[in-house]
Short mmCIF file of all heavy atoms in Angstrom, two decimals:
data_model
loop_
_atom_site.label_atom_id
_atom_site.label_comp_id
_atom_site.label_asym_id
_atom_site.label_seq_id
_atom_site.Cartn_x
_atom_site.Cartn_y
_atom_site.Cartn_z
N MET A 16 -16.85 52.29 57.51
CA MET A 16 -18.14 51.70 57.80
C MET A 16 -17.95 50.30 58.36
O MET A 16 -17.14 49.59 57.91
CB MET A 16 -18.87 51.62 56.45
CG MET A 16 -20.36 51.57 56.59
SD MET A 16 -21.33 52.13 55.30
CE MET A 16 -20.90 51.15 53.92
N TYR A 17 -18.72 50.00 59.36
CA TYR A 17 -18.63 48.70 60.00
C TYR A 17 -19.97 48.33 60.62
O TYR A 17 -20.89 49.14 60.75
CB TYR A 17 -17.50 48.69 61.13
CG TYR A 17 -17.74 49.70 62.21
CD1 TYR A 17 -18.32 49.24 63.46
CD2 TYR A 17 -17.35 50.97 62.15
CE1 TYR A 17 -18.59 50.18 64.41
CE2 TYR A 17 -17.54 51.88 63.15
CZ TYR A 17 -18.18 51.45 64.32
OH TYR A 17 -18.38 52.31 65.34
N ARG A 18 -20.10 47.09 61.04
CA ARG A 18 -21.31 46.63 61.72
C ARG A 18 -21.01 46.49 63.27
O ARG A 18 -20.08 45.83 63.60
CB ARG A 18 -21.73 45.29 61.09
CG ARG A 18 -23.15 44.88 61.63
CD ARG A 18 -23.65 43.76 60.83
NE ARG A 18 -23.92 44.00 59.35
CZ ARG A 18 -24.98 44.64 58.89
NH1 ARG A 18 -25.96 44.96 59.71
NH2 ARG A 18 -25.08 44.80 57.66
N CYS A 19 -21.84 47.05 63.98
CA CYS A 19 -21.69 46.95 65.44
C CYS A 19 -21.97 45.54 65.92
O CYS A 19 -23.01 44.98 65.43
CB CYS A 19 -22.65 47.96 66.17
SG CYS A 19 -22.69 47.78 67.98
N GLU A 20 -21.11 44.96 66.64
CA GLU A 20 -21.32 43.55 67.07
C GLU A 20 -22.29 43.39 68.17
O GLU A 20 -22.65 42.22 68.55
CB GLU A 20 -19.95 43.00 67.46
CG GLU A 20 -18.96 42.90 66.22
CD GLU A 20 -17.63 42.29 66.56
OE1 GLU A 20 -17.54 41.48 67.60
OE2 GLU A 20 -16.64 42.64 65.98
N LEU A 21 -22.79 44.43 68.78
CA LEU A 21 -23.80 44.35 69.85
C LEU A 21 -25.20 44.62 69.36
O LEU A 21 -26.10 43.72 69.56
CB LEU A 21 -23.48 45.32 71.00
CG LEU A 21 -22.22 45.06 71.73
CD1 LEU A 21 -21.87 46.17 72.67
CD2 LEU A 21 -22.20 43.73 72.43
N CYS A 22 -25.35 45.64 68.62
CA CYS A 22 -26.72 45.90 68.01
C CYS A 22 -26.89 45.45 66.59
O CYS A 22 -28.04 45.57 66.08
CB CYS A 22 -27.11 47.38 68.20
SG CYS A 22 -26.05 48.53 67.09
N ARG A 23 -25.85 45.05 65.99
CA ARG A 23 -25.91 44.53 64.61
C ARG A 23 -26.31 45.57 63.55
O ARG A 23 -26.68 45.23 62.44
CB ARG A 23 -26.82 43.26 64.50
CG ARG A 23 -26.48 42.13 65.44
CD ARG A 23 -25.09 41.59 65.37
NE ARG A 23 -24.80 41.08 64.05
CZ ARG A 23 -23.62 40.80 63.59
NH1 ARG A 23 -22.55 41.02 64.35
NH2 ARG A 23 -23.30 40.38 62.44
N GLU A 24 -26.20 46.83 63.87
CA GLU A 24 -26.59 47.94 62.92
C GLU A 24 -25.42 48.31 62.13
O GLU A 24 -24.26 48.30 62.66
CB GLU A 24 -27.14 49.16 63.69
CG GLU A 24 -28.58 48.89 64.25
CD GLU A 24 -29.15 50.11 64.79
OE1 GLU A 24 -28.64 51.28 64.52
OE2 GLU A 24 -30.12 49.95 65.56
N LEU A 25 -25.55 48.82 60.91
CA LEU A 25 -24.51 49.26 60.04
C LEU A 25 -24.28 50.73 60.55
O LEU A 25 -25.07 51.52 60.54
CB LEU A 25 -24.82 49.16 58.62
CG LEU A 25 -23.75 49.35 57.60
CD1 LEU A 25 -22.70 48.32 57.79
CD2 LEU A 25 -24.31 49.30 56.20
N VAL A 26 -23.00 51.04 60.80
CA VAL A 26 -22.63 52.36 61.28
C VAL A 26 -22.08 53.19 60.11
O VAL A 26 -21.37 52.67 59.25
CB VAL A 26 -21.47 52.19 62.37
CG1 VAL A 26 -21.08 53.50 62.95
CG2 VAL A 26 -22.04 51.33 63.51
N PRO A 27 -22.47 54.49 60.06
CA PRO A 27 -22.05 55.33 58.95
C PRO A 27 -20.57 55.46 58.84
O PRO A 27 -19.83 55.36 59.89
CB PRO A 27 -22.75 56.60 59.22
CG PRO A 27 -23.70 56.38 60.24
CD PRO A 27 -23.37 55.15 60.93
N PRO A 28 -20.05 55.84 57.68
CA PRO A 28 -18.52 56.05 57.55
C PRO A 28 -18.03 57.26 58.44
O PRO A 28 -18.81 58.14 58.64
CB PRO A 28 -18.30 56.37 56.11
CG PRO A 28 -19.50 56.01 55.40
CD PRO A 28 -20.70 55.97 56.41
N GLY A 29 -16.85 57.20 58.94
CA GLY A 29 -16.36 58.21 59.74
C GLY A 29 -16.61 58.16 61.25
O GLY A 29 -16.15 58.90 62.06
N THR A 30 -17.60 57.19 61.62
CA THR A 30 -17.91 57.05 63.04
C THR A 30 -16.86 56.13 63.67
O THR A 30 -16.56 55.09 63.21
CB THR A 30 -19.23 56.35 63.21
OG1 THR A 30 -20.28 57.11 62.40
CG2 THR A 30 -19.72 56.29 64.65
N PRO A 31 -16.23 56.56 64.83
CA PRO A 31 -15.25 55.79 65.40
C PRO A 31 -15.81 54.61 66.14
O PRO A 31 -16.93 54.61 66.72
CB PRO A 31 -14.63 56.81 66.47
CG PRO A 31 -15.68 57.75 66.78
CD PRO A 31 -16.46 57.84 65.42
N SER A 32 -15.05 53.50 66.11
CA SER A 32 -15.50 52.27 66.79
C SER A 32 -14.79 52.26 68.20
O SER A 32 -13.84 52.86 68.39
CB SER A 32 -15.19 51.03 66.00
OG SER A 32 -13.79 50.88 65.89
N GLN A 33 -15.43 51.48 69.09
CA GLN A 33 -14.83 51.34 70.42
C GLN A 33 -14.90 49.82 70.71
O GLN A 33 -15.78 49.17 70.45
CB GLN A 33 -15.62 52.11 71.43
CG GLN A 33 -15.54 53.66 71.16
CD GLN A 33 -16.29 54.46 72.12
OE1 GLN A 33 -17.00 53.92 73.01
NE2 GLN A 33 -16.24 55.70 71.96
N LYS A 34 -13.86 49.40 71.45
CA LYS A 34 -13.87 47.94 71.82
C LYS A 34 -14.45 47.89 73.20
O LYS A 34 -14.16 48.65 74.16
CB LYS A 34 -12.36 47.42 71.79
CG LYS A 34 -11.87 47.31 70.42
CD LYS A 34 -10.62 46.44 70.45
CE LYS A 34 -10.22 46.29 69.00
NZ LYS A 34 -9.21 45.24 68.80
N VAL A 35 -15.38 46.90 73.40
CA VAL A 35 -16.05 46.67 74.66
C VAL A 35 -15.68 45.28 75.08
O VAL A 35 -15.80 44.27 74.42
CB VAL A 35 -17.57 46.83 74.45
CG1 VAL A 35 -18.32 46.43 75.76
CG2 VAL A 35 -18.01 48.23 73.98
N VAL A 36 -15.19 45.14 76.35
CA VAL A 36 -14.87 43.92 76.98
C VAL A 36 -16.18 43.12 77.26
O VAL A 36 -16.99 43.67 78.12
CB VAL A 36 -14.02 44.03 78.20
CG1 VAL A 36 -13.77 42.72 78.86
CG2 VAL A 36 -12.75 44.74 77.79
N VAL A 37 -16.33 41.96 76.81
CA VAL A 37 -17.58 41.15 77.02
C VAL A 37 -17.27 39.98 78.00
O VAL A 37 -18.19 39.73 78.79
CB VAL A 37 -17.99 40.58 75.69
CG1 VAL A 37 -19.21 39.72 75.82
CG2 VAL A 37 -18.29 41.61 74.62
N GLU A 38 -16.09 39.49 78.03
CA GLU A 38 -15.83 38.35 78.92
C GLU A 38 -14.40 38.51 79.47
O GLU A 38 -13.38 38.80 78.72
CB GLU A 38 -16.01 37.09 78.11
CG GLU A 38 -15.86 35.82 79.05
CD GLU A 38 -16.14 34.59 78.06
OE1 GLU A 38 -16.50 34.75 76.92
OE2 GLU A 38 -15.99 33.45 78.57
N THR A 39 -14.20 38.27 80.74
CA THR A 39 -12.90 38.17 81.37
C THR A 39 -12.82 36.91 82.12
O THR A 39 -13.77 36.23 82.37
CB THR A 39 -12.65 39.37 82.29
OG1 THR A 39 -13.62 39.31 83.31
CG2 THR A 39 -12.67 40.75 81.58
N ARG A 40 -11.55 36.67 82.57
CA ARG A 40 -11.39 35.45 83.42
C ARG A 40 -10.33 35.80 84.47
O ARG A 40 -9.42 36.58 84.27
CB ARG A 40 -10.99 34.23 82.65
CG ARG A 40 -9.66 34.34 81.97
CD ARG A 40 -9.28 33.05 81.23
NE ARG A 40 -8.07 33.42 80.32
CZ ARG A 40 -7.94 32.89 79.19
NH1 ARG A 40 -8.82 32.04 78.67
NH2 ARG A 40 -6.86 33.13 78.46
N GLU A 41 -10.34 35.02 85.57
CA GLU A 41 -9.39 35.10 86.66
C GLU A 41 -8.13 34.27 86.24
O GLU A 41 -8.43 33.12 85.73
CB GLU A 41 -9.93 34.59 87.97
CG GLU A 41 -9.06 34.79 89.14
CD GLU A 41 -9.02 36.29 89.63
OE1 GLU A 41 -9.97 37.01 89.33
OE2 GLU A 41 -7.99 36.77 90.11
N VAL A 42 -6.96 34.81 86.41
CA VAL A 42 -5.79 34.05 85.93
C VAL A 42 -4.67 34.27 87.08
O VAL A 42 -4.63 35.22 87.75
CB VAL A 42 -5.29 34.55 84.60
CG1 VAL A 42 -4.73 36.00 84.69
CG2 VAL A 42 -4.17 33.62 84.04
N ARG A 43 -3.88 33.20 87.15
CA ARG A 43 -2.74 33.21 88.10
C ARG A 43 -1.50 32.67 87.35
O ARG A 43 -1.53 31.59 86.80
CB ARG A 43 -3.07 32.35 89.28
CG ARG A 43 -1.85 32.27 90.28
CD ARG A 43 -2.23 31.37 91.50
NE ARG A 43 -3.34 31.92 92.23
CZ ARG A 43 -3.12 32.60 93.32
NH1 ARG A 43 -1.89 32.96 93.74
NH2 ARG A 43 -4.14 33.10 93.99
N TYR A 44 -0.44 33.53 87.36
CA TYR A 44 0.81 33.05 86.76
C TYR A 44 1.80 32.65 87.83
O TYR A 44 1.94 33.47 88.79
CB TYR A 44 1.31 34.18 85.94
CG TYR A 44 0.54 34.50 84.71
CD1 TYR A 44 -0.14 35.72 84.65
CD2 TYR A 44 0.44 33.60 83.61
CE1 TYR A 44 -1.00 35.99 83.58
CE2 TYR A 44 -0.34 33.92 82.53
CZ TYR A 44 -1.06 35.10 82.43
OH TYR A 44 -1.85 35.36 81.41
N PRO A 45 2.45 31.53 87.70
CA PRO A 45 3.28 31.06 88.71
C PRO A 45 4.67 31.81 88.64
O PRO A 45 5.07 32.44 87.64
CB PRO A 45 3.56 29.59 88.38
CG PRO A 45 3.30 29.48 86.98
CD PRO A 45 2.25 30.52 86.63
N ARG A 46 5.42 31.78 89.81
CA ARG A 46 6.73 32.44 89.85
C ARG A 46 7.70 31.57 89.01
O ARG A 46 7.66 30.34 89.05
CB ARG A 46 7.22 32.50 91.30
CG ARG A 46 8.51 33.05 91.56
CD ARG A 46 8.97 33.00 92.90
NE ARG A 46 10.22 33.60 93.13
CZ ARG A 46 11.44 32.99 92.89
NH1 ARG A 46 11.38 31.70 92.44
NH2 ARG A 46 12.57 33.56 93.07
N ARG A 47 8.56 32.26 88.29
CA ARG A 47 9.54 31.54 87.45
C ARG A 47 10.94 32.04 87.87
O ARG A 47 11.19 33.26 87.72
CB ARG A 47 9.30 31.76 85.95
CG ARG A 47 7.96 31.26 85.48
CD ARG A 47 7.84 31.52 84.05
NE ARG A 47 7.95 32.85 83.70
CZ ARG A 47 8.31 33.34 82.45
NH1 ARG A 47 8.49 32.53 81.49
NH2 ARG A 47 8.39 34.52 82.21
N ALA A 48 11.80 31.19 88.36
CA ALA A 48 13.14 31.54 88.74
C ALA A 48 14.05 31.66 87.45
O ALA A 48 13.97 30.79 86.64
CB ALA A 48 13.70 30.55 89.73
N ALA A 49 14.86 32.73 87.41
CA ALA A 49 15.83 32.93 86.34
C ALA A 49 15.14 32.92 84.99
O ALA A 49 15.71 32.29 84.08
CB ALA A 49 16.95 31.89 86.41
N ALA A 50 13.99 33.54 84.80
CA ALA A 50 13.30 33.44 83.60
C ALA A 50 13.79 34.54 82.56
O ALA A 50 13.71 34.27 81.33
CB ALA A 50 11.88 33.58 83.83
N ASN A 51 14.06 35.73 83.06
CA ASN A 51 14.38 36.81 82.19
C ASN A 51 15.86 36.98 81.96
O ASN A 51 16.69 37.18 82.93
CB ASN A 51 13.81 38.11 82.73
CG ASN A 51 12.33 38.05 82.82
OD1 ASN A 51 11.65 37.38 82.03
ND2 ASN A 51 11.72 38.62 83.88
N ARG A 52 16.31 36.88 80.74
CA ARG A 52 17.76 37.18 80.40
C ARG A 52 18.02 38.67 80.39
O ARG A 52 17.26 39.40 79.94
CB ARG A 52 18.05 36.52 79.06
CG ARG A 52 17.90 35.01 79.06
CD ARG A 52 18.30 34.47 77.67
NE ARG A 52 18.18 33.05 77.71
CZ ARG A 52 18.07 32.31 76.64
NH1 ARG A 52 18.04 32.89 75.51
NH2 ARG A 52 17.85 31.01 76.77
N PRO A 53 19.24 38.97 80.81
CA PRO A 53 19.61 40.43 80.77
C PRO A 53 19.70 40.90 79.29
O PRO A 53 20.03 40.10 78.42
CB PRO A 53 20.90 40.53 81.48
CG PRO A 53 21.40 39.18 81.51
CD PRO A 53 20.31 38.23 81.35
N LYS A 54 19.51 42.13 79.03
CA LYS A 54 19.78 42.62 77.68
C LYS A 54 21.23 42.64 77.28
O LYS A 54 22.08 42.70 78.17
CB LYS A 54 19.26 44.17 77.78
CG LYS A 54 17.74 44.26 77.94
CD LYS A 54 17.33 45.69 78.01
CE LYS A 54 15.82 45.83 78.39
NZ LYS A 54 15.42 47.19 78.57
N PRO A 55 21.54 42.62 76.00
CA PRO A 55 22.94 42.52 75.60
C PRO A 55 23.73 43.74 75.95
O PRO A 55 24.94 43.51 76.33
CB PRO A 55 22.79 42.44 74.05
CG PRO A 55 21.50 41.94 73.78
CD PRO A 55 20.54 42.41 74.89
N GLN A 56 23.19 44.88 76.11
CA GLN A 56 24.01 46.06 76.45
C GLN A 56 24.20 46.09 77.96
O GLN A 56 25.05 46.85 78.40
CB GLN A 56 23.29 47.33 76.00
CG GLN A 56 21.97 47.65 76.65
CD GLN A 56 20.79 47.19 75.84
OE1 GLN A 56 20.96 46.25 74.94
NE2 GLN A 56 19.62 47.72 76.06
N ASP A 57 23.50 45.31 78.81
CA ASP A 57 23.78 45.15 80.21
C ASP A 57 24.95 44.23 80.36
O ASP A 57 24.99 43.13 79.79
CB ASP A 57 22.55 44.60 80.97
CG ASP A 57 21.49 45.57 81.02
OD1 ASP A 57 21.63 46.78 80.70
OD2 ASP A 57 20.31 45.16 81.35
N ASN A 58 25.99 44.58 81.10
CA ASN A 58 27.09 43.79 81.32
C ASN A 58 26.89 42.89 82.52
O ASN A 58 27.86 42.29 83.06
CB ASN A 58 28.42 44.67 81.60
CG ASN A 58 28.77 45.26 80.20
OD1 ASN A 58 28.51 44.72 79.17
ND2 ASN A 58 29.33 46.42 80.29
N LYS A 59 25.70 42.72 82.99
CA LYS A 59 25.44 41.81 84.20
C LYS A 59 25.14 40.44 83.63
O LYS A 59 24.55 40.20 82.64
CB LYS A 59 24.20 42.39 84.91
CG LYS A 59 24.39 43.80 85.44
CD LYS A 59 23.11 44.30 86.01
CE LYS A 59 23.29 45.74 86.46
NZ LYS A 59 22.06 46.34 86.94
N ARG A 60 25.62 39.46 84.33
CA ARG A 60 25.44 38.07 83.96
C ARG A 60 24.28 37.36 84.64
O ARG A 60 23.93 36.28 84.22
CB ARG A 60 26.72 37.33 84.22
CG ARG A 60 27.90 37.74 83.36
CD ARG A 60 27.67 37.28 82.00
NE ARG A 60 28.72 37.79 81.16
CZ ARG A 60 28.70 37.81 79.87
NH1 ARG A 60 27.59 37.37 79.22
NH2 ARG A 60 29.68 38.31 79.09
N GLU A 61 23.68 37.98 85.67
CA GLU A 61 22.69 37.23 86.46
C GLU A 61 21.35 37.31 85.68
O GLU A 61 21.06 38.21 84.94
CB GLU A 61 22.50 37.80 87.88
CG GLU A 61 21.57 39.07 87.96
CD GLU A 61 22.35 40.37 87.83
OE1 GLU A 61 23.58 40.42 87.66
OE2 GLU A 61 21.66 41.43 87.97
N LYS A 62 20.59 36.25 85.84
CA LYS A 62 19.25 36.22 85.22
C LYS A 62 18.22 36.76 86.35
O LYS A 62 18.49 36.49 87.56
CB LYS A 62 18.88 34.84 84.82
CG LYS A 62 19.70 34.31 83.65
CD LYS A 62 19.14 33.00 83.22
CE LYS A 62 19.87 32.50 81.94
NZ LYS A 62 19.45 31.21 81.47
N ARG A 63 17.25 37.40 85.92
CA ARG A 63 16.28 37.93 86.89
C ARG A 63 15.04 37.02 87.04
O ARG A 63 14.67 36.40 86.13
CB ARG A 63 15.85 39.34 86.44
CG ARG A 63 17.05 40.30 86.46
CD ARG A 63 16.56 41.75 86.26
NE ARG A 63 17.66 42.70 86.60
CZ ARG A 63 18.54 43.11 85.66
NH1 ARG A 63 18.43 42.62 84.44
NH2 ARG A 63 19.54 43.87 85.89
N ASP A 64 14.49 37.07 88.22
CA ASP A 64 13.28 36.25 88.40
C ASP A 64 12.07 36.93 87.88
O ASP A 64 11.99 38.17 87.90
CB ASP A 64 13.08 35.92 89.96
CG ASP A 64 14.18 35.15 90.49
OD1 ASP A 64 14.91 34.41 89.73
OD2 ASP A 64 14.39 35.06 91.70
N ASP A 65 11.11 36.10 87.48
CA ASP A 65 9.84 36.63 87.14
C ASP A 65 8.86 36.33 88.33
O ASP A 65 8.57 35.22 88.63
CB ASP A 65 9.27 35.93 85.86
CG ASP A 65 7.90 36.34 85.45
OD1 ASP A 65 7.41 37.42 85.97
OD2 ASP A 65 7.33 35.66 84.59
N PRO A 66 8.32 37.36 88.95
CA PRO A 66 7.60 37.13 90.20
C PRO A 66 6.23 36.46 90.04
O PRO A 66 5.57 36.02 90.91
CB PRO A 66 7.38 38.53 90.85
CG PRO A 66 7.47 39.44 89.63
CD PRO A 66 8.39 38.82 88.67
N GLY A 67 5.73 36.54 88.71
CA GLY A 67 4.41 35.92 88.51
C GLY A 67 3.41 36.90 88.94
O GLY A 67 3.63 38.06 89.03
N GLY A 68 2.12 36.39 89.21
CA GLY A 68 1.09 37.32 89.67
C GLY A 68 -0.23 36.71 89.43
O GLY A 68 -0.43 35.61 89.02
N GLN A 69 -1.23 37.63 89.74
CA GLN A 69 -2.64 37.15 89.60
C GLN A 69 -3.45 38.40 89.13
O GLN A 69 -2.99 39.48 89.38
CB GLN A 69 -3.21 36.53 90.76
CG GLN A 69 -3.30 37.43 91.94
CD GLN A 69 -3.87 36.81 93.21
OE1 GLN A 69 -3.86 35.52 93.21
NE2 GLN A 69 -4.43 37.51 94.07
N GLY A 70 -4.49 38.13 88.61
CA GLY A 70 -5.44 39.24 88.04
C GLY A 70 -6.51 38.76 87.18
O GLY A 70 -6.77 37.56 87.13
N ARG A 71 -6.94 39.70 86.40
CA ARG A 71 -7.99 39.32 85.36
C ARG A 71 -7.38 39.64 84.00
O ARG A 71 -6.68 40.65 83.85
CB ARG A 71 -9.26 40.10 85.64
CG ARG A 71 -9.86 39.80 87.06
CD ARG A 71 -11.22 40.39 87.21
NE ARG A 71 -12.25 39.60 86.36
CZ ARG A 71 -12.71 38.41 86.61
NH1 ARG A 71 -12.33 37.72 87.64
NH2 ARG A 71 -13.54 37.84 85.81
N GLU A 72 -7.79 38.82 82.95
CA GLU A 72 -7.45 39.11 81.62
C GLU A 72 -8.61 38.97 80.73
O GLU A 72 -9.52 38.23 81.08
CB GLU A 72 -6.28 38.26 81.15
CG GLU A 72 -6.54 36.75 80.94
CD GLU A 72 -5.35 35.94 80.55
OE1 GLU A 72 -4.25 36.44 80.69
OE2 GLU A 72 -5.55 34.81 80.04
N ILE A 73 -8.57 39.69 79.63
CA ILE A 73 -9.69 39.66 78.59
C ILE A 73 -9.73 38.37 77.90
O ILE A 73 -8.73 37.94 77.41
CB ILE A 73 -9.53 40.86 77.70
CG1 ILE A 73 -9.51 42.17 78.45
CG2 ILE A 73 -10.53 40.88 76.59
CD1 ILE A 73 -9.12 43.47 77.57
N VAL A 74 -10.97 37.85 77.82
CA VAL A 74 -11.20 36.59 77.01
C VAL A 74 -11.73 37.00 75.69
O VAL A 74 -11.30 36.47 74.66
CB VAL A 74 -12.17 35.67 77.73
CG1 VAL A 74 -12.47 34.45 76.92
CG2 VAL A 74 -11.55 35.28 79.06
N ARG A 75 -12.70 37.89 75.70
CA ARG A 75 -13.32 38.34 74.41
C ARG A 75 -13.75 39.77 74.41
O ARG A 75 -14.22 40.28 75.51
CB ARG A 75 -14.64 37.47 74.18
CG ARG A 75 -15.13 37.44 72.84
CD ARG A 75 -16.27 36.57 72.65
NE ARG A 75 -17.45 37.42 72.63
CZ ARG A 75 -18.62 37.13 72.82
NH1 ARG A 75 -18.97 35.89 73.32
NH2 ARG A 75 -19.64 37.92 72.79
N GLU A 76 -13.49 40.53 73.35
CA GLU A 76 -13.94 41.88 73.29
C GLU A 76 -14.57 42.08 71.91
O GLU A 76 -14.24 41.37 70.90
CB GLU A 76 -12.83 42.91 73.58
CG GLU A 76 -11.70 42.80 72.66
CD GLU A 76 -10.51 43.81 73.02
OE1 GLU A 76 -10.63 44.33 74.11
OE2 GLU A 76 -9.55 43.80 72.32
N VAL A 77 -15.52 43.00 71.80
CA VAL A 77 -16.26 43.16 70.49
C VAL A 77 -16.04 44.67 70.09
O VAL A 77 -15.84 45.54 70.98
CB VAL A 77 -17.70 42.84 70.58
CG1 VAL A 77 -17.87 41.38 70.88
CG2 VAL A 77 -18.38 43.63 71.74
N MET A 78 -16.28 44.89 68.84
CA MET A 78 -16.25 46.22 68.24
C MET A 78 -17.69 46.77 68.29
O MET A 78 -18.60 46.19 67.79
CB MET A 78 -15.72 46.21 66.83
CG MET A 78 -15.40 47.51 66.28
SD MET A 78 -14.45 47.50 64.82
CE MET A 78 -15.39 46.35 63.82
N ALA A 79 -17.82 47.99 68.92
CA ALA A 79 -19.19 48.50 69.09
C ALA A 79 -19.28 49.98 68.65
O ALA A 79 -18.30 50.65 68.61
CB ALA A 79 -19.51 48.43 70.63
N CYS A 80 -20.44 50.34 68.33
CA CYS A 80 -20.75 51.76 68.00
C CYS A 80 -20.68 52.53 69.27
O CYS A 80 -20.84 52.07 70.37
CB CYS A 80 -22.05 51.93 67.25
SG CYS A 80 -23.52 51.39 68.24
N PRO A 81 -20.55 53.96 69.22
CA PRO A 81 -20.51 54.75 70.37
C PRO A 81 -21.66 54.66 71.29
O PRO A 81 -21.56 54.70 72.49
CB PRO A 81 -20.31 56.16 69.86
CG PRO A 81 -19.76 56.00 68.51
CD PRO A 81 -20.22 54.69 67.97
N ARG A 82 -22.88 54.46 70.68
CA ARG A 82 -24.10 54.36 71.45
C ARG A 82 -24.13 53.17 72.38
O ARG A 82 -24.40 53.19 73.53
CB ARG A 82 -25.29 54.40 70.56
CG ARG A 82 -26.67 54.49 71.30
CD ARG A 82 -27.82 54.47 70.33
NE ARG A 82 -27.79 53.12 69.63
CZ ARG A 82 -28.50 52.98 68.68
NH1 ARG A 82 -29.16 53.95 67.94
NH2 ARG A 82 -28.53 51.80 67.99
N CYS A 83 -23.78 51.92 71.77
CA CYS A 83 -23.67 50.73 72.49
C CYS A 83 -22.52 50.68 73.52
O CYS A 83 -22.69 50.13 74.61
CB CYS A 83 -23.58 49.61 71.58
SG CYS A 83 -24.97 49.27 70.52
N ALA A 84 -21.49 51.31 73.15
CA ALA A 84 -20.27 51.43 74.09
C ALA A 84 -20.60 52.13 75.36
O ALA A 84 -20.20 51.83 76.44
CB ALA A 84 -19.04 51.99 73.36
N SER A 85 -21.35 53.27 75.14
CA SER A 85 -21.69 54.11 76.34
C SER A 85 -22.72 53.36 77.20
O SER A 85 -22.83 53.66 78.39
CB SER A 85 -22.15 55.43 75.88
OG SER A 85 -23.39 55.36 75.17
N ALA A 86 -23.55 52.51 76.61
CA ALA A 86 -24.57 51.82 77.35
C ALA A 86 -24.02 50.67 78.14
O ALA A 86 -24.46 50.27 79.16
CB ALA A 86 -25.72 51.29 76.46
N SER A 87 -22.84 50.13 77.68
CA SER A 87 -22.26 48.99 78.32
C SER A 87 -21.41 49.40 79.56
O SER A 87 -20.95 50.33 79.78
CB SER A 87 -21.32 48.29 77.35
OG SER A 87 -22.08 47.83 76.36
#
């Protein structure tokens, strides 16, 4: 049993909850040279670069009942 964070109704027991993304943000990660160390079982000595990247990441998500999740 839980309370839906969107409609604030109490949901009956056994009803599955679903997470709904409410807020996202644009993010950019810079390139990092020699950031990743090799695994111990690898006999290679070189460090690998992290290429960085850009995209969107979740800022906030809420737990919702199936009815509210399908409406979102």
Side-chain angles (χ1 to χ4, degrees):
M16 203 155 61
Y17 62 94
R18 188 170 298 276
C19 176
E20 294 180 28
L21 294 175
C22 66
R23 307 301 301 165
E24 289 185 20
L25 194 61
V26 180
T30 306
S32 66
Q33 297 177 357
K34 291 195 176 192
V35 176
V36 176
V37 178
E38 187 179 351
T39 60
R40 67 176 167 219
E41 189 70 31
V42 67
R43 176 181 295 265
Y44 293 108
R46 179 183 180 281
R47 298 181 304 157
N51 298 322
R52 295 183 181 160
K54 296 178 185 173
Q56 64 266 24
D57 293 342
N58 290 328
K59 300 174 185 174
R60 294 289 177 194
E61 84 267 0
K62 292 186 178 181
R63 296 193 170 87
D64 293 342
D65 180 12
Q69 65 182 19
R71 300 193 68 76
E72 68 182 16
I73 296 172
V74 175
R75 201 176 101 203
E76 61 186 5
V77 296
M78 190 167 50
C80 63
R82 186 181 65 198
C83 291
S85 65
S87 295

